[in-house]
Amino acid sequence: MHVFYGGFLHTKTSLIQFVHEFDNVLENKEQKELEDDTADSKRVIQDVQEQFLKKGDCIVKVLSREGDMYSLVVGQQKLISDKPIIDTYRVSFDSVVQECHCECNLFQSKAILCCHMLSAFAYFEVNKVPTCYISSRWSKNVRQKHTYIKSCHDVNRSDESNNLYRGLCNHFFNVAQDFVRNIEEASILHLAMDGAQTTLHDHRASKDQSSVPSRQSNKAPKTQCSINFDRLLGPPQVSTKGRPTKRRLGADLDKTIKNATRKKK
């Protein structure tokens, strides 16, 4: 939250200022998102290329094996003050599921395969990067969640993905509103949504990742379940209590402390 609102809000920001600045934050983030999308469409990730180049400076040695699990040490040659040195890194590799882990933790921090893991894959003749190491955060088609939030500056915007998102939210809201009477119904709904999510993940994984995704038609597909906007209900109204008649808690204590300090001086 601090990073998202950095430069727009501070500790003394009032609620009214927050409402105005909220739209400014979204507009700024969306503009940066569009600029990043334009830049990404014309380049490749340099960080990944750098790791593939460093792979040529690595030497793999097998230390031990327990079943399908291998313990490796990868020596990487580096130049420090024009003097060659070799840094060693411990790498574990599972030959069955083709999972790898390196103690440099580059993948855990940046979701980029390090040159040590790439060297281990090459050593065991793994010619294709496993899907578990292809992070969606590096995909050129991914969109940040805040871009789907509706704000004042994009009232007239008719972006297709935003319209689909809001339509799905309305549909989910109607379904959830009908099945919140007991835990059993809610559990069935959760299982159905988990199953749908798994099916969608499998459908997306089956597509060729190297192919360019086709554009969706401007007209949304018709479904049997139409969205009933008349059933959308607002939040329950609660009568406001107004300004409290008494002073805040601790006011008398603050006054006593000030008087005692003044007498001491």
Side-chain angles (χ1 to χ4, degrees):
M1 297 297 290
H2 290 287
V3 175
F4 189 82
Y5 291 106
F8 291 89
L9 305 177
H10 51 83
T11 55
K12 296 184 179 180
T13 299
S14 65
L15 184 59
I16 297 178
Q17 291 174 328
F18 170 79
V19 174
H20 290 290
E21 291 297 337
F22 178 76
D23 284 334
N24 294 332
V25 171
L26 288 181
E27 184 177 11
N28 179 271
K29 299 296 183 181
E30 289 185 8
Q31 180 62 31
K32 188 176 184 304
E33 188 78 10
L34 293 175
E35 294 174 357
D36 291 341
D37 288 343
T38 303
D40 289 339
S41 63
K42 300 179 181 179
R43 69 183 183 186
V44 296
I45 301 176
Q46 300 295 329
D47 295 338
V48 177
Q49 287 184 328
E50 182 181 356
Q51 295 302 317
F52 272 97
L53 292 175
K54 290 181 178 180
K55 185 173 71 72
D57 299 328
C58 296
I59 300 176
V60 180
K61 181 180 179 181
V62 178
L63 293 181
S64 61
R65 176 184 178 181
E66 294 182 5
D68 300 322
M69 184 66 65
Y70 290 83
S71 179
L72 314 172
V73 59
V74 179
Q76 180 184 3
Q77 185 176 10
K78 300 179 181 179
L79 286 177
I80 298 180
S81 301
D82 296 331
K83 293 182 179 181
I85 63 171
I86 297 180
D87 286 342
T88 58
Y89 298 88
R90 294 276 185 156
V91 178
S92 59
F93 178 78
D94 191 325
S95 59
V96 176
V97 295
Q98 294 184 348
E99 289 185 357
C100 195
H101 181 270
C102 179
E103 64 179 355
C104 73
N105 290 325
L106 180 63
F107 182 79
Q108 284 75 11
S109 60
K110 295 185 177 181
I112 297 177
L113 285 174
C114 62
C115 59
H116 320 118
M117 296 173 65
L118 293 173
S119 299
F121 286 140
Y123 182 84
F124 290 99
E125 299 181 353
V126 179
N127 299 321
K128 185 177 180 180
V129 177
T131 56
C132 61
Y133 296 107
I134 301 177
S135 178
S136 59
R137 63 186 287 189
W138 292 113
S139 173
K140 295 180 180 180
N141 302 318
V142 71
R143 291 192 60 183
Q144 299 293 333
K145 293 182 179 180
H146 63 261
T147 58
Y148 294 108
I149 301 176
K150 188 175 181 180
S151 57
C152 296
H153 62 79
D154 63 351
V155 174
N156 298 323
R157 190 177 64 180
S158 59
D159 185 78
E160 184 178 5
S161 59
N162 287 73
N163 294 333
L164 291 175
Y165 174 79
R166 290 163 188 164
L168 288 172
C169 286
N170 290 334
H171 193 178
F172 295 156
F173 179 84
N174 288 333
V175 175
Q177 187 176 0
D178 292 337
F179 299 101
V180 292
R181 298 179 181 177
N182 54 65
I183 299 178
E184 183 180 0
E185 292 181 350
S187 299
I188 296 175
L189 181 57
H190 276 296
L191 290 175
M193 294 182 66
D194 291 339
Q197 186 178 18
T198 302
T199 304
L200 290 172
H201 280 303
D202 295 340
H203 174 70
R204 180 175 296 178
S206 64
K207 293 183 178 180
D208 187 5
Q209 298 179 357
S210 61
S211 63
V212 180
S214 59
R215 281 183 165 272
Q216 298 178 352
S217 59
N218 294 329
K219 186 177 181 181
K222 294 183 179 180
T223 58
Q224 296 180 354
C225 299
S226 59
I227 301 174
N228 187 1
F229 291 96
D230 296 334
R231 297 176 62 186
L232 295 179
L233 302 177
Q237 296 183 356
V238 180
S239 58
T240 58
K241 298 180 180 180
R243 184 178 179 180
T245 56
K246 297 182 179 180
R247 292 178 298 174
R248 66 175 182 84
L249 296 176
D252 295 334
L253 179 61
D254 292 342
K255 185 176 180 181
T256 303
I257 294 175
K258 289 181 179 179
N259 292 335
T261 304
R262 190 182 299 108
K263 292 179 180 180
K264 187 176 181 180
K265 292 181 177 180

